[in-house]
Amino acid sequence: LQDRVSGAGFTFRELSDEEKAERAFQKRFKSITSHLLSFIQFARAQQIEPKEVDTRISVNPPISKKDLFFAEMANHVYKKYIQHLEDNDFYDFPRMLEKAASIVTETSGECIVHLGPEKNIDVRIKDTQWILVDEFQDCSPILNLLLEAIRQTNGKTRFVCVGDDWQAINGFAGSETAY
């Protein structure tokens, strides 16, 4: 190629290691970020804490060095993410579900759910008779934590769970049709 285009005024030079690394980084950054986010979302939905990831890595190390590197890097980012949430009192969706389950349990269901400004209705979890869970095929352990807290504090609540396992599209995020 160099011989063919050099007559047209093009010059060639080998990229430095730094330039190669920068180009590779730019090309792969989006992909790596996406994989890291998927890793964290899955771990959060499955209620897998960073310490458990460390244990899993040490007990059953990944097959390749590349997989081991990714697992260690992803867990490092995961630890930083969890720390950032806690340090700043931020909530992601799994943390909101954990907090809601904790409040339901700690109050023995005496907590109130406000059904919105238009209806102006407050309902105690302990008084709830029916709960409809739509898209149940996308249930995950973290959502099940809240449903179990409600069930444990109010044995009279009946759940109607509607789902279609053919529509289960959130497996990457930790949902399981087993629920």
Side-chain angles (χ1 to χ4, degrees), residues 131-142:
I131 294 179
L132 171 65
V133 183
D134 196 10
E135 303 296 339
F136 194 67
Q137 74 274 2
D138 293 326
C139 189
S140 64
I142 194 70

Side-chain angles (χ1 to χ4, degrees), residues 85-141:
L85 290 178
E86 293 170 356
D87 290 349
N88 295 286
D89 201 27
F90 289 160
Y91 285 79
D92 59 0
F93 188 64
R95 191 167 184 214
M96 285 189 282
L97 291 175
E98 289 168 343
K99 181 69 171 176
S102 174
I103 290 170
V104 169
T105 301
E106 289 169 8
T107 65
S108 299
E110 295 292 335
C111 51
I112 296 194
V113 175
H114 183 68
L115 298 181
E118 294 174 12
K119 300 195 189 279
N120 199 23
I121 299 172
D122 291 335
V123 178
R124 284 185 325 153
I125 292 293
K126 194 148 188 113
D127 296 334
T128 305
Q129 295 177 5
W130 292 93
I131 294 179
L132 171 65
V133 183
D134 196 10
E135 303 296 339
F136 194 67
Q137 74 274 2
D138 293 326
C139 189
S140 64

Side-chain angles (χ1 to χ4, degrees), residues 39 52-75:
F39 177 91
E52 185 177 342
V53 175
D54 283 334
T55 301
R56 289 181 183 195
I57 291 171
S58 65
V59 171
N60 296 311
I63 296 170
S64 72
K65 288 181 181 180
K66 183 171 85 172
D67 291 340
L68 177 60
F69 175 78
F70 178 80
E72 290 173 341
M73 176 183 64
N75 200 40

Side-chain angles (χ1 to χ4, degrees), residues 11-49:
T11 58
F12 288 85
R13 72 173 176 83
E14 185 175 338
L15 295 176
S16 70
D17 288 343
E18 185 176 306
E19 289 172 312
K20 290 176 190 175
E22 179 63 25
R23 287 186 182 192
F25 177 78
Q26 292 300 327
K27 186 175 181 180
R28 299 290 180 212
F29 182 75
K30 190 172 186 177
S31 175
I32 291 169
T33 303
S34 176
H35 289 304
L36 289 171
L37 181 59
S38 294
F39 177 91
I40 291 169
Q41 287 174 333
F42 184 82
R44 297 288 289 144
Q46 293 295 317
Q47 295 183 277
I48 302 170
E49 296 295 323

